[in-house]
Amino acid sequence: MSSFLLAIPSGMPGGLDAPMGMHFGHCDIYTIVEIEDGAVKNVSTLPSVPHQQGGCLAPVQYLADHGVRVLLAGGMGMRPLMGFKQMGIDVYFAGNFPLVDNAVQAFLAGRLPEFTTDFTCHGGH
């Protein structure tokens, strides 16, 4: 049985019906989805940490500390992307989806590209 935690930056109040938070470090809340055997098993939320506490890498460490193995995001800078890779967290680009559930379903269907430098934000974030 394969299971892991997936995090999605979200607008309030979080959950599958919430809007996507397009930048992981500045989102209102994270929706945490437990995936088991390729299907959604459980959905919860996790408050976000202020971006200024520890800079760009604070949210990376925070999500890693909570057991997240995969992140779906619309945007982030190069530094946090490298931080996620160092932590063993896979990051996928989901910036084309308005709702968390749309992004999760696209991920489960294998339709999201892995996040690369082509998707990173510029200007130091």
Side-chain angles (χ1 to χ4, degrees):
M1 185 170 3
S2 170
S3 87
F4 60 93
L5 293 181
L6 170 71
I8 307 97
S10 309
M12 290 302 274
L16 293 177
D17 294 330
M20 285 281 299
M22 286 299 133
H23 192 291
F24 95 98
H26 296 283
C27 69
D28 295 333
I29 195 166
Y30 296 100
T31 297
I32 304 296
V33 180
E34 183 180 357
I35 304 293
E36 187 174 286
D37 295 329
V40 173
K41 180 180 179 187
N42 190 39
V43 178
S44 60
T45 58
L46 183 65
S48 63
V49 295
H51 196 73
Q52 60 273 20
Q53 287 184 354
C56 294
L57 295 181
V60 174
Q61 185 66 53
Y62 178 67
L63 291 172
D65 289 347
H66 282 87
V68 170
R69 303 291 359 129
V70 176
L71 176 78
L72 308 184
M76 74 177 61
M78 179 59 68
R79 188 169 176 223
L81 178 59
M82 293 298 103
F84 279 119
K85 293 206 179 283
Q86 288 177 336
M87 292 287 188
I89 297 173
D90 296 325
V91 182
Y92 292 86
F93 178 71
N96 299 329
F97 297 95
L99 298 177
V100 169
D101 188 51
N102 301 134
V104 170
Q105 294 308 316
F107 171 78
L108 292 175
R111 295 191 332 245
L112 296 183
E114 192 165 348
F115 212 103
T116 67
T117 56
D118 294 339
F119 300 115
T120 58
C121 300
H122 301 286
H125 286 102

